Amino acid sequence: MAKANLDKQPFDVAHMFDAVGEKYDLTNTVLSFGQDAGWRKRTRERLNLQPGEKVLDLAAGTAVSTVELSKSGAWCVACDFSRGMLAAGRDRNVPKVAGDGMQLPFADNTFDAVTISYGLRNIHDFELGLREMARVTKPGGRLAVAEFSKPVVPVFGTVYKEYLTRLLPPIARVVSSNPEAYIYLAESIRAWPDQEELAQAINVNGWSNAGWQNLTLGIVALHWATKPEE
């Protein structure tokens, strides 16, 4: 069984996601009790994308998030280091590129905005990932990070931890094509920095004025920042 920590080996994590691509979207909808679509919409709205802008959707998986971003009229490209995940989204009509978040295959100052949803935890060196995202973003460009976080209501936080530990694994065994991966993911959520700690990390890795909004009582936190003007 995969055990989660923040010293993730990229090949192992990519292989894990290759194995979950087939039923990834269904599993996420079930495990989030249908809230995943609303979270994607809030991310798009937060970026305030404009027609003609260029947007990088990193850790895009099956590109369902990229399709949501494209509703703005912006040109959006899905990038993920799991070719299996990108292949699972082959029917989604958006550009797709295989790439490592620690060494993005894009030139400096390419994008008006960059976003990553529920994937920053899975970058081997997530701070390097933040710097790479800043590198490929134009000065003054925007960042949005949607990530699982720490519930802000203590009683609810206790219930949520019980859900991750006791309920998520058996549900994943029913709906996922690789249940072991979701045990890993649950453990990685528990090990992840809280909202303030992540904002601080964003601010010292190529971005400024990081803020956040809690969604669903802090199960998810939507962080945002801008790249300083040169």
Side-chain angles (χ1 to χ4, degrees):
M1 180 182 299
K3 299 297 289 184
N5 57 63
L6 297 184
D7 186 26
K8 300 167 287 292
Q9 299 305 311
F11 177 82
D12 293 337
V13 178
H15 180 71
M16 178 187 72
F17 277 101
D18 285 343
V20 303
E22 179 185 353
K23 296 182 179 179
Y24 185 75
D25 296 331
L26 171 64
T27 304
N28 283 349
T29 298
V30 171
L31 294 179
S32 70
F33 299 98
Q35 296 183 88
D36 55 323
W39 294 340
R40 287 192 293 270
K41 180 180 178 182
R42 294 291 285 276
T43 301
R44 172 175 58 81
E45 292 172 344
R46 178 70 236 183
L47 282 171
N48 190 29
L49 302 173
Q50 302 299 313
E53 288 190 316
K54 293 182 179 179
V55 183
L56 171 61
D57 186 16
L58 185 57
T62 64
V64 65
S65 55
T66 320
V67 170
E68 176 65 37
L69 295 169
S70 297
K71 293 178 182 178
S72 64
W75 182 86
C76 306
V77 57
C79 182
D80 201 286
F81 69 164
S82 167
R83 293 176 182 271
M85 290 285 280
L86 292 172
R90 64 178 63 86
D91 293 333
R92 295 195 168 102
N93 188 26
V94 293
K96 303 177 185 69
V97 175
D100 185 343
M102 296 184 296
Q103 192 174 3
L104 291 171
F106 304 105
D108 295 358
N109 305 325
T110 297
F111 296 99
D112 299 286
V114 59
T115 182
I116 182 168
S117 296
Y118 319 107
L120 194 60
R121 295 187 330 278
N122 298 309
I123 295 179
H124 181 68
D125 182 343
F126 82 90
E127 292 185 306
L128 175 56
L130 287 168
R131 295 193 295 275
E132 268 293 278
M133 286 186 275
R135 178 185 66 78
V136 302
T137 302
K138 297 174 183 178
R142 294 100 69 200
L143 169 72
V145 178
E147 188 55 88
F148 293 106
S149 197
K150 299 292 189 284
V152 294
V153 178
V155 174
F156 181 70
T158 300
V159 172
Y160 179 58
K161 288 178 182 178
E162 288 294 304
Y163 168 70
L164 290 176
T165 303
R166 299 180 184 275
L167 292 180
L168 187 147
I171 294 173
R173 279 193 286 272
V174 174
V175 298
S176 173
S177 51
N178 183 9
E180 299 287 335
Y182 285 87
I183 297 172
Y184 169 94
L185 292 174
E187 292 171 353
S188 72
I189 291 169
R190 291 197 296 269
W192 187 243
D194 65 20
Q195 290 88 326
E196 184 173 354
E197 291 169 336
L198 181 55
Q200 292 172 351
I202 291 170
N203 277 334
V204 298
N205 284 286
W207 303 92
S208 62
N209 301 316
W212 71 88
Q213 177 184 15
N214 291 312
L215 306 179
T216 317
L217 300 178
I219 285 180
V220 167
L222 179 57
H223 284 72
W224 59 82
T226 56
K227 179 177 175 177
E229 299 279 359
E230 292 181 346

